[in-house]
Amino acid sequence: MKIKGRFFLSMFLLSLAAFIHILVRLVPLPMRTNTISLGLYCLVIVFWMEKNRQMILHRQVMTNLSYIAYLLIGYLFIRTLKYEFVLSGSSLDRYLWYGYYIILIAIGVFLFFSVLYIDKAGQEKVSPSWNMLFLLLFIFSLLFISNDFHQLIFTFPQGLSKWADVDYGYGPGFYLMVLYCGAIVLGTFFIASKKTLDSRNAKNIFLIFLVPVIWGLYTYLYLIKARAFYWFFVAFKSPEFNCLITISYVESLIYNRLMPVNLDYGRFWHGSSLDVGIMNRSGVLYANNKDWDFSPSLIRKAASHPVLVSKDCLLQSARVSNGYTYWLEDLSFINAIKDRLRDFGDLLAEENELLKAENRLQRDQASLRDQLEICAFIENALEDKFLALEYSLRDLPDREEDFIQAMRLPTIINVYIKRYANMLLLGKKSRLVDIDELRLAIFESFRYLNIFNIMTDFLCQGQARISLDKILLAYETFEDILEKNIFTMEAVFLSISLQGDFLVFAMEIDNPDSRTFRGTRLEDGDLTLDQLIEEGSLFVRAKIFLGSDFYDY
């Protein structure tokens, strides 16, 4: 139900409650008017509470007003229970009477805290020292509940059994409670008045005092029993009128915009000069600019990335509660600046292109020199292998089996040239090469051996960066042994490992070429090579001293 509908329904319910009170006073009817009034007023208070939940933007203020609504319902419930269902003068009747005061004090405290949040941001809190008011509220509540034992609030000189028949007195706690309530009421009025004077609604300051004046006038006329207002007192009994005064005072604060509410958004929307539109979850569009005609799917798409709807217009949107908001970004000014910069930058662009072309030419010349140097370096280092490759490819036999056999050596040499050159390039700057490069080179040679039906097995243990000279020495040693036995070998097994300052590899070749076997031990600088032929297999163990020319990681 909309807010206006709840308001008119609340007015009807209040009028109905007043009419029932007057009707029962004129015509004795068998009905409990306080009970009926309780139900009608509870509906009004619930409508008011729901209206606040829809309008109040500050969460803590909304919570405080909800507590006030619950307390008002409890206030009317106690009144109904006391006068309709509980025996007058009983102990329960006395405790319900105490409850009146507890609820009224609590309403004042929550109303004061609602006023404290005036001008506070949504997540801003009030000072924790104000929570002392809740502690005092708790203390006074305990004093009221236990008054029968200490009589610090109300005194009963004739005893509790005759409390309803004779006059009762007031203890020191009662006067402290009056001071406490007076401070809360004055504080509420002072803060609300000051904030109103500081706002744009200073002309409505009279509303802050109008409601308390009406309540004071009602109380005065009620106490003197003014006969001219008899039927008004019948229609609106004191507890019911107190509830209406509380609600009216809160509404006066809302009307003066002391509490943040979502009122007049429609008027603000239509009066705004912002070119902004909104779309609800059903895809219904609202926009001040009637020329805007965008599909809901396009607006949803623009939430993830802007959509260019024309040369000078960029559609953007964002998710909001229960829908989307969308707007157009004018790119005409930016495009005009781009055009001017493009015109002014033509000459600079031409000069930049000339400079870039000159720089590219210099870089290309330097790169060409580097490539020529690298090619000359590789050619000198692998000159003997190029010659061996050229020699091995001469006069290849026509018979397929002989051709395959003859291609063993050039295939292995070709792999060696490629991998050797790659290691030279990698070690040209840092002079250190990862042992994985040696492992990959050997693995590729073994892969080609498998094509010629030669069994292979390879194990490489350890991770290190080794100097270029030492890793090339290891690769040359491996290649030399492989080439000498390439035409006869049937299987080859190799294991490489790092042992202290040495790179060690053990190699076994089945059916080696004994014609190429030269001695059992060879020492050449950092290389120590042991060879042994036994039972048709060649066993090779090589150790290369690394010293400090490697980095183990």
Side-chain angles (χ1 to χ4, degrees), residues 20 23-36 84:
I20 292 174
L23 179 64
V24 171
R25 188 59 60 93
L26 292 174
V27 181
L29 295 174
M31 63 173 62
R32 298 179 183 271
T33 57
N34 287 332
T35 304
I36 297 174
E84 296 287 353

Side-chain angles (χ1 to χ4, degrees), residues 330-344:
D330 188 1
L331 303 180
S332 58
F333 181 70
I334 297 176
N335 290 334
I337 293 177
K338 288 182 178 179
D339 293 338
R340 293 184 63 184
L341 290 176
R342 191 180 299 112
D343 294 337
F344 288 132

